[in-house]
Amino acid sequence: MAGDGDSSPLPSSSSSSSSNNTTTTTTTTVTPSSKTDLNALFHRDLTLPDGTVTDVMTHFISRITTLFTDYMRETSSREDAKVVNYIAPKDLLAAFDMRITDEPESLGKIVEYCETTLQHGVRTSHPRFYNQLFARIDPVAMVGEWLTTMVNTSMYTYEVAPVFILMEAYMLERMREFIGWDVNVPGDGLFSPGGSISNMYAMQAARHYHFPQTKEHGLLAIGKIPVVFTSSHSHYSIKKGAALMGLGMRHVIAVDVDRRGKMIPADLDAKIQLAKDDGLAPFFVNATAGTTVVGAFDPFEEIAAVCKKHGVWMHVDAAWGGSALVSSKQRELLRGVELADSVTWNPHKMMGIPLQCSAILIRTSGLLSGCNATNAQYLFQKDKINTEYDTGDKAIQCGRKVDVFKLWLAWKAKGDKGYERQIDYAFANSRRLAELIRARPGFELVYEPECTNVCFWYVPPSLRHLDHTERREALHRVAPVIKAGMQYRGSMMIGYQPLDDFPNFFRMVFSNPAVTEEDIQFILDEIENLGHAL
């Protein structure tokens, strides 16, 4: 806790002045205490005036590191830690003073604020957190995140990030190889701030490929309205991308899906042709590998044939399902992905890399530079050494966080086989839950799971005798009540949502390798316990 100490002597503060190559140093003691009491120390005590790190810094970082490791140990305990200690917003604001004032606070208080933040935050690494398409972070990847934060460099030039620039090039090439593209043919890509941005990069590259004049002259230079096609179950980032690029969300055309949530190629073909007949300019089709809710994989081979027929760019949003490529057993789900022109893949989802870690992978080299380069002379001077490795002009950002190192480090630690086992285990867990749902009264699958998403209803006894219409209306209100109960108890977190004509259902997502068979059984027991009396 804040205020404890050790026997390390306190550092000295020093000031120095230089005149005629002579340096004089004056040393003063920070405090007479012989112990490092963080309650009596402040930010100014972390370094000397000349920037030298002090023993206070060592002790402060040690305290924070201990806090972090204790948190991770606690988070893995089902008995000692809740998924969330729920508190209403007004009560949280009353309990946690977030105001910043003129005066500094002690390092001891800073540690306390870190403790309070962890106490009230959601424990996404807990084995019973299933709310999002991400969960427990890999501990080696976490170390990688710490290192890149400490180094604090940017991914725009080899000059300032030599190791990371080369590492990114290697990892992008390796991920393209998993997709099935020819590694002897140069490709393109970047790590970006999330799958939504990666999808937008793909749209931008496709627009530049089809309409390169838009970079200088804008959309009016096309002479026609460019349109995008995506399934009705795809991620909302496609519409956001269309809005951001000035295409307009109304020019994102939804393609019908079948009863399994997969895009229907015949409907895609018909809608592209109709758009052409109406004088529009189709240029981009977004297919999905692991849709956000259902986890469906679109039929990529058939979609590729339609795209080739109409001369349209094919993108695969594999932000969620792309990690299945690492498994020899699961990669069949992505059969035909190698026919795509671009692919989004988020290792921060199923692979457990800390947020954020997303890659946009493009089969053709040079497109990202083509559509984004502005040749800023203060950063991308052509007469510097090794400029051929610079990536900054390919990105829409200037400063770009190092996201590759944590992925590379974790993959080094696990190897392909380790990640294959992790992916297969997540898929196996989803099948176990589906089996339990089929066998348990009151639970019904909405879709047969294809990825690690399991979508299901819990039907309380009071609703089981109702006709279809009455039950549908009542069932829509069940999941929100049960979800609130989970949050108040802190027992687990599972998402819910409606889709198409279906009332609210639970979407259980497996990506945490720490989940056990007991956890899977607990899911159904807890939901039944919370909802039985509804």
Side-chain angles (χ1 to χ4, degrees):
M1 298 302 294
D4 65 352
D6 58 24
S7 57
S8 301
L10 283 166
S12 298
S13 293
S14 67
S15 60
S16 61
S17 60
S18 178
S19 177
N20 297 324
N21 297 323
T22 302
T23 301
T24 303
T25 301
T26 303
T27 302
T28 58
T29 304
V30 172
T31 172
S33 171
S34 62
K35 291 186 175 292
T36 309
D37 180 1
L38 294 181
N39 284 325
L41 295 165
F42 294 83
H43 184 278
R44 62 177 177 265
D45 299 313
L46 294 172
T47 59
L48 300 178
D50 64 0
T52 303
V53 170
T54 68
D55 287 345
V56 175
M57 172 80 86
T58 303
H59 184 63
F60 176 67
I61 295 298
S62 176
R63 282 288 313 282
I64 294 296
T65 303
T66 300
L67 175 63
F68 287 0
T69 53
D70 286 349
Y71 173 79
M72 292 192 71
R73 187 180 299 110
E74 174 193 291
T75 295
S76 66
S77 171
R78 293 149 182 84
E79 293 75 26
D80 298 335
K82 296 179 178 180
V83 175
V84 59
N85 294 305
Y86 179 78
I87 183 170
K90 64 179 179 62
D91 297 325
L92 179 55
L93 289 170
F96 191 171
D97 186 2
M98 299 184 185
R99 295 172 300 169
I100 295 176
T101 63
D102 290 343
E103 296 304 317
E105 298 203 40
S106 72
L107 295 177
K109 290 295 293 183
I110 296 303
V111 173
E112 288 183 15
Y113 290 138
C114 290
E115 291 173 333
T116 303
T117 299
L118 292 177
Q119 176 188 351
H120 293 299
V122 176
R123 295 174 174 85
T124 60
S125 287
H126 195 287
R128 290 174 180 167
F129 174 85
Y130 317 106
N131 209 65
Q132 259 67 46
L133 299 180
F134 62 83
R136 177 178 180 267
I137 60 171
D138 183 273
V140 173
M142 181 180 67
V143 171
E145 180 79 1
W146 290 351
L147 185 145
T148 53
T149 298
M150 179 182 67
V151 170
N152 193 37
T153 194
S154 181
M155 291 289 290
Y156 35 58
T157 62
Y158 180 83
E159 179 182 41
V160 296
V163 174
F164 302 131
I165 289 286
L166 296 182
M167 190 178 289
E168 181 177 63
Y170 167 73
M171 289 303 295
L172 291 170
E173 179 181 306
R174 197 160 196 275
M175 294 169 83
R176 290 194 295 267
E177 184 177 7
F178 272 103
I179 290 170
W181 292 333
D182 187 349
V183 295
N184 296 312
V185 177
D188 211 341
L190 284 171
F191 281 84
S192 84
S196 293
I197 305 298
S198 290
N199 287 340
M200 293 176 197
Y201 267 119
M203 294 177 69
Q204 189 186 34
R207 186 182 67 178
H208 185 75
Y209 178 80
H210 285 284
F211 316 115
Q213 67 272 34
T214 59
K215 180 178 180 180
E216 292 291 336
H217 303 288
L219 294 176
L220 290 177
I222 299 174
K224 296 182 179 181
I225 298 175
V227 289
V228 170
F229 300 82
T230 191
S231 91
S232 59
H233 283 193
S234 68
H235 193 259
Y236 65 82
S237 60
I238 304 303
K239 283 189 174 181
K240 282 196 172 187
L244 183 66
M245 292 171 61
L247 304 176
M249 291 192 296
R250 293 184 65 180
H251 297 122
V252 176
I253 298 174
V255 181
D256 293 343
V257 298
D258 62 19
R259 58 183 179 81
R260 297 172 296 170
K262 299 172 177 287
M263 182 190 288
I264 300 174
D267 190 57
L268 173 65
D269 187 16
K271 285 178 174 171
I272 292 178
Q273 187 59 56
L274 182 61
K276 286 182 171 181
D277 294 342
D278 288 342
L280 303 175
F283 78 100
F284 183 85
V285 169
N286 174 68
T288 309
T291 54
T292 306
V293 176
V294 179
F297 290 77
D298 287 337
F300 304 121
E301 290 180 330
E302 294 89 337
I303 291 171
V306 173
C307 291
K308 183 177 181 181
K309 172 184 174 181
H310 292 285
V312 177
W313 182 284
M314 177 182 168
H315 173 66
V316 175
D317 175 6
W320 174 226
S323 298
L325 289 167
V326 183
S327 165
S328 57
K329 185 184 299 183
Q330 313 303 336
R331 68 171 292 119
E332 178 64 18
L333 292 166
L334 288 102
R335 182 166 46 89
V337 70
E338 71 279 0
L339 302 172
D341 296 293
S342 56
V343 175
T344 290
W345 179 353
N346 284 13
H348 71 228
K349 296 186 185 294
M350 206 177 295
M351 298 178 78
I353 306 302
L355 288 159
Q356 59 203 31
C357 189
S358 174
I360 173 61
L361 303 151
I362 298 177
R363 186 165 56 176
T364 304
S365 65
L367 281 176
L368 289 177
S369 291
C371 61
N372 291 318
T374 55
N375 302 309
Q377 292 184 353
Y378 59 84
L379 187 58
F380 305 114
Q381 302 94 333
K382 298 303 182 183
D383 48 1
K384 290 195 303 187
I385 58 174
N386 305 127
T387 58
E388 69 272 22
Y389 295 104
D390 293 352
T391 61
D393 235 6
K394 297 182 358 177
I396 57 175
Q397 303 160 261
C398 180
R400 185 162 64 92
K401 188 174 182 291
V402 177
D403 290 324
V404 67
F405 182 70
K406 55 195 172 187
L407 172 63
W408 175 86
L409 200 66
W411 214 322
K412 271 282 194 181
K414 291 185 177 182
D416 292 344
K417 291 298 183 183
Y419 262 124
E420 181 174 34
R421 286 191 294 270
Q422 180 173 320
I423 301 303
D424 287 344
Y425 185 69
F427 274 84
N429 279 338
S430 69
R431 278 36 177 188
R432 289 189 190 99
L433 178 60
E435 289 173 6
L436 291 172
I437 288 171
R438 291 189 200 97
R440 187 155 177 163
F443 288 86
E444 299 177 13
L445 284 172
V446 183
Y447 294 88
E448 285 293 329
E450 188 172 29
C451 193
T452 69
N453 313 40
V454 184
C455 300
F456 63 95
W457 288 292
Y458 172 66
V459 185
S462 64
L463 306 186
R464 295 174 194 173
H465 69 284
L466 299 178
D467 63 34
H468 176 75
T469 302
E470 290 178 317
R471 194 179 91 154
R472 184 188 181 285
E473 293 176 356
L475 191 58
H476 190 70
R477 297 190 291 270
V478 170
V481 174
I482 295 176
K483 173 65 178 283
M486 293 178 199
Q487 289 179 268
Y488 289 136
R489 287 188 179 185
S491 56
M492 62 182 184
M493 287 186 72
I494 300 176
Y496 71 85
Q497 64 285 304
L499 186 65
D500 298 332
D501 293 330
F502 292 132
N504 279 325
F505 56 85
F506 290 107
R507 180 199 65 170
M508 169 71 209
V509 179
F510 287 100
S511 62
N512 188 338
V515 173
T516 65
E517 290 192 25
E518 290 76 15
D519 292 320
I520 297 171
Q521 185 66 53
F522 179 84
I523 294 165
L524 302 185
D525 291 343
E526 182 72 352
I527 288 175
E528 187 170 56
N529 183 275
L530 289 165
H532 185 79
L534 293 178

